[in-house]
Amino acid sequence: MAAGNDHYQPGSKPEDGLAALDARVWRDLAVIDYPRHDWTPRLTRNGEPVLDVAIVGAGQGGLATAFALKRGNISNVRIFDRAPRGGEGPWITFARMITLRTPKYVTGPDLGIPGLTPRAWYEARYGAEAWEKLDKIPRGDWQAYLDWYRAVLDLPVENDRSFAHVAWEDGLLRLTFLDADGREHRHLARKLVLATGIDGGGQWHVPAFIREALPRERYAHTSEPIDFAALRGKRIGVLGAGASAFDNAATALEEGAASVALCLRRRAIPSVNPYRWMENAGFLAHFSALSDTLRWRFMRHIYELNQPPPQDTFWRCRRHPTFSYHTGCGWTGARMEGEDIVVQTPGGEMRFDFVIIGTGFAVDMALRPETASFAGSVALWRDRFTPPEGEDSAVLSAHPYLGDAYQFLPRDLADPLAPMLANIHNFTFSATPSMGLSGASISGMRFGVERLARGLGRDLFVADGAWHLDQLLNYVTPELVSLNPPDA
């Protein structure tokens, strides 16, 4: 019998299959529940409780990290996210692909528990036959899977909490969050995990010649909300060579845009996807142990390749006769001429009604409000590594140079913020040059989450070593309670 048929039968309701899967997950977790008690001391300061770990970001990386800590009997954890419940991450906000780009058999958040895999959830909801026919997982289903994952594991999430500031208060992290009404919510924590996704190390990038020349309502970045229905009948220009640029081009065409011209600086559309090569256990588990020179060379090549549009995404655009793509056509300037947007390119001018910018993100922690206060103290790759001649990369050199558990390292060891940085763990995409694929990548999530959780647990245990010894020295619970035979 195909896996999953014991949870979902033709004619049954999806909720019946999911209820059975819930029971399976709870039983499996109970079977492997050892050790069975928390081991960190519950701290307070002036009557205020102190979290062992605060996680910012309730997307896939943040949820999986909380689960890994829970499995390690660290439960004094809380996750914070600025979005309302169900809106965490990109999947139902600005992601515009039809399906995930990763293979359907990818695992990650499950951390090795079969009942928590995307496949188990999909089969419980739709049946094993539907899974067999599936090519890739639809992005809406991925969000529904994450919502189920959060619920079945009862993970502690506070929504409507925008991370505003962190400060160092006598050996603890003082975290400030804002709700939608601007009210402050303050917490103390020993450890902080930033699981804020692709742009967590900086911000989405719009070239200055666009920002400074065009009215704000005439352009959008691919990461922003876009009213595609309002673009019906319009001439759309898209700048970018990556998969998200093609996703947005396709969405505009499907919503009735008169034409879409996708322009890229490269002489050819990227075609080789380095992510497929990186999906091997050796790279995913051990990349961070390589020398700086090898890590630099790996990442320089990977970043230069970029992530191409999947074949189905390209055909999604190409099937529209009003779609065109222009290689060697980077934009060099823009201006308004009447109601027209006029874009300068090496081949001449192009005219549009609206432009969509798919130029990725800039890595610069000073651009993010929550990290700006300590950004100047963080060691970057350019502070710790000089590349061989001819192998420079301004992009890579701007990334943070991280420790073995994703912790920030100080640029100057004498910096008074050095102890604080050691307790802030960067699980965003900007960790990639140091750690390989991790929290912001489904492909590498399991390996990254396990490494991060081990590091957090190690640091907490070591910091409390004397307390644990004292607990042992005061442990007097007898196991031998009688010297007489039971029937005496």
Side-chain angles (χ1 to χ4, degrees):
M1 180 180 292
N5 274 357
D6 53 334
H7 304 300
Y8 183 94
Q9 296 292 340
S12 66
K13 298 179 181 179
E15 55 267 29
D16 295 337
L18 290 173
L21 182 60
D22 290 353
R24 171 185 167 189
V25 168
W26 297 329
R27 183 184 185 282
D28 286 348
L29 291 175
V31 167
I32 61 173
D33 186 19
Y34 175 82
R36 293 195 167 193
H37 57 83
D38 288 358
W39 52 269
T40 59
R42 291 299 177 106
L43 304 181
T44 61
R45 174 172 289 174
N46 299 324
E48 181 180 359
V50 177
L51 294 168
D52 286 332
V53 183
I55 301 171
V56 177
Q60 58 197 24
L63 294 177
T65 299
F67 175 47
L69 292 169
K70 190 173 185 178
R71 285 196 65 191
N73 300 114
I74 302 173
S75 64
N76 185 21
V77 174
R78 197 171 305 169
I79 314 169
F80 302 89
D81 199 284
R82 65 188 176 190
R85 181 161 189 165
E88 306 88 354
W91 308 112
I92 62 170
T93 53
F94 65 84
R96 296 180 177 113
M97 71 282 273
I98 301 297
T99 68
L100 301 188
R101 300 184 184 116
T102 47
K104 70 176 183 180
Y105 49 78
V106 69
T107 61
D110 53 274
L111 302 184
I113 306 299
L116 283 172
T117 59
R119 176 176 179 172
W121 175 86
Y122 196 90
E123 290 184 339
R125 184 168 186 179
Y126 301 113
E129 184 178 352
W131 173 262
E132 293 302 322
K133 293 179 179 178
L134 184 69
D135 179 27
K136 295 176 182 175
I137 300 173
R139 62 179 173 87
D141 279 325
W142 185 256
Q143 181 64 53
Y145 161 69
L146 293 175
D147 293 342
W148 167 81
Y149 176 94
R150 166 182 169 175
V152 75
L153 295 174
D154 193 25
L155 298 176
V157 181
E158 285 191 26
N159 289 96
D160 185 26
R161 296 292 183 270
S162 294
F163 183 36
H165 188 258
V166 57
W168 192 236
E169 288 188 5
D170 299 323
L172 295 174
L173 297 162
R174 168 62 71 183
L175 310 177
T176 301
F177 297 87
L178 300 177
D179 63 23
D181 296 321
R183 293 186 295 263
E184 285 192 354
H185 301 262
R186 291 158 57 84
H187 299 271
L188 286 172
R190 304 176 68 186
K191 289 283 188 180
L192 172 63
V193 174
L194 300 177
T196 46
I198 295 290
D199 63 325
Q203 68 179 16
W204 298 105
H205 175 62
V206 175
F209 69 82
I210 296 289
R211 297 194 314 269
E212 296 169 2
L214 302 185
R216 189 63 187 88
E217 67 273 12
R218 302 299 291 274
Y219 71 89
H221 193 277
T222 55
S223 66
E224 296 178 311
I226 299 176
D227 182 1
F228 283 95
L231 302 183
R232 178 180 295 275
K234 305 291 188 182
R235 300 164 298 169
I236 310 301
V238 178
L239 178 62
S244 63
F246 282 85
D247 289 332
N248 280 262
T251 304
L253 290 161
E254 291 160 357
E255 291 292 328
S259 64
V260 173
L262 186 146
C263 303
L264 55 152
R265 184 181 64 254
R266 298 171 185 243
R267 293 294 176 185
I269 297 174
S271 60
V272 176
N273 189 350
Y275 281 72
R276 298 294 82 83
W277 181 91
M278 288 187 280
E279 289 168 349
N280 70 78
F283 182 89
L284 295 174
H286 307 301
F287 170 82
S288 62
L290 294 174
S291 67
D292 286 355
T293 299
L294 278 176
R295 286 190 291 175
W296 182 270
R297 286 174 170 163
F298 266 105
M299 287 299 158
R300 187 167 178 267
H301 182 69
I302 288 166
Y303 274 50
E304 286 176 351
L305 283 176
N306 200 359
Q307 188 174 15
Q311 186 64 65
D312 54 355
T313 299
F314 181 78
W315 290 132
R316 186 181 165 203
C317 294
R318 200 72 176 92
R319 67 185 180 86
H320 294 271
T322 54
F323 171 74
S324 62
Y325 64 91
H326 306 266
T327 58
C329 190
W331 295 356
T332 57
R335 70 179 189 275
M336 292 299 300
E337 191 173 289
E339 288 300 308
D340 286 357
I341 299 169
V342 182
V343 171
Q344 287 89 50
T345 79
E349 294 183 344
M350 304 178 76
R351 291 175 178 266
F352 304 110
D353 299 307
F354 190 85
V355 293
I356 299 174
I357 310 301
T359 49
F361 54 93
V363 177
D364 184 349
M365 293 193 302
L367 299 176
R368 291 192 70 90
E370 68 269 26
T371 55
S373 64
F374 62 84
S377 296
V378 172
L380 307 179
W381 269 83
R382 62 171 169 254
D383 301 316
R384 298 296 180 92
F385 177 71
T386 301
E389 186 175 353
E391 298 183 32
D392 293 341
S393 170
V395 172
L396 287 181
S397 66
H399 285 68
Y401 185 97
L402 302 177
D404 65 346
Y406 295 87
Q407 73 272 31
F408 289 119
L409 299 176
R411 184 172 296 177
D412 180 353
L413 294 176
D415 191 320
L417 291 182
M420 180 180 83
L421 297 179
N423 289 290
I424 303 177
H425 300 255
N426 176 32
F427 207 48
T428 73
F429 190 82
S430 66
T432 304
S434 294
M435 311 304 290
L437 296 180
S438 52
S441 169
I442 298 172
S443 304
M445 187 187 310
R446 174 169 66 88
F447 299 88
V449 165
E450 290 173 349
R451 183 184 302 113
L452 172 62
R454 283 195 303 269
L456 293 167
R458 174 199 65 196
D459 290 356
L460 291 170
F461 184 81
V462 169
D464 298 330
W467 180 86
H468 288 293
L469 175 60
D470 186 61
Q471 295 296 298
L472 171 62
L473 296 177
N474 287 282
Y475 180 74
V476 295
T477 302
E479 187 161 312
L480 178 64
V481 296
S482 175
L483 300 179
N484 298 314
D487 55 353

